[in-house]
Every structure is written in structure tokens, then in C-alpha cells.
Amino acid sequence: SKVLRRNYKLKTREDQQNERVNILQYILQHEAIRYKQLAQDEITEINRLELLHDAIQDVEIGRIFVNTEGFKPKFSDENAQRFDRFDRLRRVPDAEMRKTVDLKGVRLRDTRRVRYTDYTVALFNDLVNEIRDEFVGNPSHGFNTYVSVHIRHGYISSQIRSQFDTHRLATRQAPDGEYQDNNFWMDRFSEIEKSKREVINKRMKVFSSQLDDLVEEVNSEWIRIKSDEYPSGMFDFDMNEDERTVLFVLAAQKSDHHSFVDFVIDYLWEKTEASLKKIRDRITGDLLSDALRLLHDLEHDVLEISPKVASTDFSAVIATCGNEVQADFRLFAEWFRRSSGPVLDSFNFDLVLDVATKTAKQFHPGKDFELERHVPQQSFEGSWFKPFVEIVVILFDNLLKNA
């Protein structure tokens, strides 16, 4: 493996794996029998790891999904009838004939102003709003439900903190609200005076709290639907008057209810894609900069508390952690892409457990565990793979947090 990684002609992981398989296949064809079983076992293991790699990619990249086919039946005959009224009215050539008087009016400067509204526009807005509300908020199939389950539910904390936990730089909050002592680094700093170790320990608790503040900001402010309740939410599905005017004009090309619904959904996906890009840019920009700044400040402050820290591997660990945080945050940003559908055609439950175990161990690097497996060896359709993994990861996550 090391030789293959150093071969400049093999530029990607896929190139290296293919070359390994070619070598092993040559061994199968030309070498003595005693080597053939070893080669066959190695090929089997490569295939297993490749399947595991594809499965992890399926889970990690593109977590944004809306089951539009799931909520479309909700649009009742009443919705279709409203579209038919809209379709007939918009074909009336005289705008004056389409106007209705808003009898409430508005008083301005002691004069009575009567506001006229085109009923076709009102119908159009009602139709668009209903489709948007289902796209965003349907409790079983909508955007917010999938974001909550696939991203917000514990995943953000584990992803942002992963490398800091792996390198034992951060500790978790205890039930009493205090952060746990960093016993790992206190042991490593055993040559430092006790009073200074205590100050360092307090500083590392502050660092842990600052990380959780970042997690809370992302989870509670960024990854939300923009609304009065969440004004900082980065998913913005509001439509201003100019947008609605353009949609109204383009809707003239849609002659039936189904094509109109699909047209509005396509536009909502365009808005979603714009929000997703902003989030990806902010994760690899502001969020990454903030995390690296916290890491730099921690190193600076700890070294300032005691210069003896320089004789340990603390700074080297900080540097390694910083590099790996950058890779992790780039992967985190990739969550915010529209799901391209299942990578796997089918899977068995052993693969679910493999991926879920690897993910749980990444989220809880200090806790090792092995599974005793008794699972059915039946195959499942590929679209169920990601939901199965996420259910098992949540189960493992809760067990490890409370173990």
C-alpha cells in the first residue's frame, strides 16, 4: 500500500485500489497455490472496503432531500379547482374585468383610498404559498423535517467537535452544567506546577464551552428556515413581489395543475440551491476561521500560562488537529447538497452496522466498542440505506453519551 501511495502515476485512491486488484489478479493467475488464497482473501477485503467507502459517501454527501411525491397527493381537488379558476381568469384579456374591490380600503392624509387587487394574482399567490408550505413544512415529507432528522439531530455537534474530541482538546459538559476536567492533558503536563495546571484546565474548559457556542449558533441560527422566530435562518423561502411577478408570467406556460405544481417545486429547489451554496461557503469560511481562531488562542494562552508546555507535544497536536479540522469542515459543507439518490442498489444490515459503527466511533473517539451481531441476511432496496444508518447512529450516539 505504501509503495502504491508513493507512485506519482496513481493520483487517486481509486487508481491505487485498481492497481492493487490488478497485482492480486496476476498473483491468482501465475503464483503458487499457497499465495492464491491470500490474494483471493485480499481481493474480497478490497471489495468489502470499497463497498463500505461507497456506503459512507452515500451517507455523508448530499443530505438535503424533500419527498415531493410524498406530499403531492395532499393537494386536493379544491387546490386543482382553484388552479382551474386561476387558469380561466388569467385568460380574460381585460384587466379591469378581473379586478375586485377591497372594501376595507386605507385612509391616508384624511382621504379614502380604495385598493384594487387582481383576483388572478390573489389566486396565484394562494396556490404558490400552499405548494411552498408543503415543500418546506410537511411534517412527514417536507424540507424542514429532513433537515431536522438528517442534520440537526445531534450530527452538527459531533461533526464540528470531532477532531477536537479526537485529540482530547475538548471535554463534554457534565449534567451539572460544568465542563469535565481535561485529565488527559493534565497527565501530560505532570511536570508543570499544580497551580498552573489548574489554570490550564480552566482555560481548556472555556475552549470546550466556546466550541459548544459555535455548535449552538450553527444549529439554532444558521440551519433554520428564515422566519420571525428564526430571523438569522439561512434557508430563505420568502418570495418578494418581483419574484412572484416573474413566476406569474412564466406560469402562463403551464396549462394543467400537475405541471404548475412541478413548476413551483422546481423554483423552490432553485431557492434551496442558492441557500445551500451560502451555507457551504459560510462553513468553509466564517465557521472554519472561527474554529481555527479558537484553536490558535487556546495554544497561545496555554503556552503563556506555562512555557514548559513547549517541551510537550501540545503544539504538534494543535497543528495536526487544525489540519484535520479543515478536512472535516470541507466534508461537513458537502452535507449541504441536494441528495442525488441512493448510491447502492441494495444492501444488507451488516453494511448498515459497519457504517453506523464507523460514524459513531468518529463522533465518540474516546469510546471503543464492538458489536455482537445477530442480524437477518436479507437484502433491502438501496433508498432505505441512509435512513437505516441514521436510525442506528442515533441509537449508538445515545448509548455512548449515556454509557
Side-chain angles (χ1 to χ4, degrees):
S1 296
K2 291 182 179 178
V3 173
L4 292 177
R5 284 199 295 270
R6 291 171 181 168
N7 189 329
Y8 71 92
K9 292 184 179 179
L10 304 177
K11 297 181 179 180
T12 66
R13 175 183 173 281
E14 185 178 0
D15 291 339
Q16 295 168 10
Q17 293 290 64
N18 288 338
E19 186 64 17
R20 285 180 69 190
V21 172
N22 289 336
I23 293 170
L24 291 166
Q25 287 176 340
Y26 178 88
I27 292 173
L28 283 174
Q29 294 172 10
H30 298 91
E31 295 298 320
I33 294 176
R34 62 195 176 106
Y35 293 117
K36 289 186 177 181
Q37 187 59 50
L38 291 173
Q40 186 60 59
D41 290 345
E42 182 69 10
I43 289 174
T44 301
E45 178 63 10
I46 288 172
N47 290 336
R48 187 189 74 81
L49 292 175
E50 283 299 295
L51 181 61
L52 182 62
H53 175 266
D54 290 344
I56 291 172
Q57 292 290 98
D58 190 16
V59 172
E60 293 294 340
I61 296 178
R63 295 192 174 203
I64 303 300
F65 180 70
V66 178
N67 183 12
T68 54
E69 296 305 316
F71 67 71
K72 280 182 181 179
K74 185 177 176 65
F75 296 127
S76 61
D77 291 340
E78 181 181 348
N79 186 277
Q81 290 168 9
R82 191 182 302 140
F83 173 81
D84 289 340
R85 289 199 301 274
F86 161 72
D87 190 48
R88 289 195 301 271
L89 279 170
R90 69 180 174 173
R91 299 176 190 280
V92 176
D94 188 348
E96 290 300 320
M97 293 175 62
R98 299 198 303 264
K99 286 182 179 177
T100 60
V101 178
D102 180 351
L103 297 178
K104 293 181 181 178
V106 177
R107 184 172 295 279
L108 182 64
R109 291 183 182 176
D110 298 324
T111 62
R112 186 77 170 169
R113 187 183 74 182
V114 178
R115 186 182 68 198
Y116 292 93
T117 58
D118 189 329
Y119 186 50
T120 54
V121 174
L123 276 174
F124 173 80
N125 285 332
D126 287 345
L127 286 164
V128 169
N129 289 346
E130 183 175 355
I131 297 168
R132 179 195 60 188
D133 292 347
E134 287 298 315
F135 181 93
V136 174
N138 184 282
S140 299
H141 308 289
F143 178 87
N144 197 40
T145 297
Y146 280 96
V147 168
S148 178
V149 172
H150 294 281
I151 294 179
R152 283 201 300 264
H153 188 91
Y155 288 105
I156 289 178
S157 174
S158 298
Q159 184 66 23
I160 290 177
R161 288 183 53 119
S162 176
Q163 292 303 327
F164 303 106
D165 290 341
T166 298
H167 295 286
R168 312 291 183 87
L169 294 169
T171 56
R172 295 283 177 173
Q173 197 171 20
D176 63 3
E178 291 292 320
Y179 281 83
Q180 297 168 344
D181 292 330
N182 197 317
N183 295 321
F184 176 83
W185 283 103
M186 293 307 100
D187 290 342
R188 302 292 279 268
F189 297 154
S190 59
E191 298 300 317
I192 299 173
E193 305 92 292
K194 182 179 179 181
S195 60
K196 290 189 176 181
R197 288 206 311 272
E198 290 175 350
V199 177
I200 291 173
N201 189 41
K202 287 181 181 178
R203 178 62 183 85
M204 298 189 83
K205 288 183 179 181
V206 170
F207 174 72
S208 300
S209 176
Q210 290 170 326
L211 281 179
D212 282 342
D213 288 343
L214 276 184
V215 170
E216 181 64 20
E217 179 184 356
V218 174
N219 205 27
S220 298
E221 297 184 27
W222 296 15
I223 315 303
R224 297 285 176 174
I225 310 298
K226 187 175 182 180
S227 63
D228 292 340
E229 183 179 2
Y230 298 107
S232 300
M234 294 190 67
F235 291 110
D236 187 0
F237 292 99
D238 286 341
M239 299 182 194
N240 60 36
E241 188 174 346
D242 290 341
E243 288 179 275
R244 289 178 181 272
T245 299
V246 172
L247 283 177
F248 184 87
V249 173
L250 294 175
Q253 304 169 20
K254 310 303 171 186
S255 59
D256 64 85
H257 182 237
H258 293 297
S259 62
F260 178 81
V261 170
D262 289 341
F263 161 72
V264 176
I265 287 174
D266 287 343
Y267 181 72
L268 292 169
W269 273 122
E270 288 180 20
K271 289 185 73 67
T272 305
E273 294 284 7
S275 295
L276 291 173
K277 185 178 187 309
K278 289 178 182 178
I279 292 174
R280 292 196 302 270
D281 291 345
R282 197 170 179 186
I283 288 172
T284 56
D286 295 345
L287 183 63
L288 178 59
S289 295
D290 287 344
L292 293 177
R293 175 182 52 77
L294 292 179
L295 195 61
H296 174 269
D297 291 349
L298 175 67
E299 179 185 20
H300 174 271
D301 292 349
V302 170
L303 286 169
E304 195 170 65
I305 292 167
S306 175
K308 291 182 181 179
V309 171
S311 63
T312 71
D313 61 348
F314 185 71
S315 291
V317 169
I318 291 280
T320 300
C321 181
N323 290 333
E324 292 176 353
V325 163
Q326 293 181 60
D328 267 16
F329 277 40
R330 285 194 292 270
L331 177 60
F332 180 33
E334 291 303 307
W335 290 9
F336 295 92
R337 291 190 185 275
R338 184 175 173 183
S339 174
S340 57
V343 172
L344 306 174
D345 294 327
S346 63
F347 65 93
N348 61 35
F349 211 77
D350 273 321
L351 185 61
V352 171
L353 294 178
D354 286 340
V355 174
T357 301
K358 189 175 181 65
T359 302
K361 286 182 176 180
Q362 177 187 343
F363 289 167
H364 299 276
K367 296 183 179 180
D368 195 15
F369 63 95
E370 297 296 332
L371 299 178
E372 184 177 336
R373 304 190 184 198
H374 301 283
V375 296
Q377 292 304 309
Q378 67 187 91
S379 292
F380 299 91
E381 199 270 321
S383 63
W384 288 100
F385 180 71
K386 187 178 291 189
F388 274 26
V389 169
E390 288 169 349
I391 290 170
V392 177
V393 168
I394 290 170
L395 175 63
F396 286 171
D397 187 50
N398 288 329
L399 287 172
L400 292 170
K401 281 179 179 176
N402 298 294

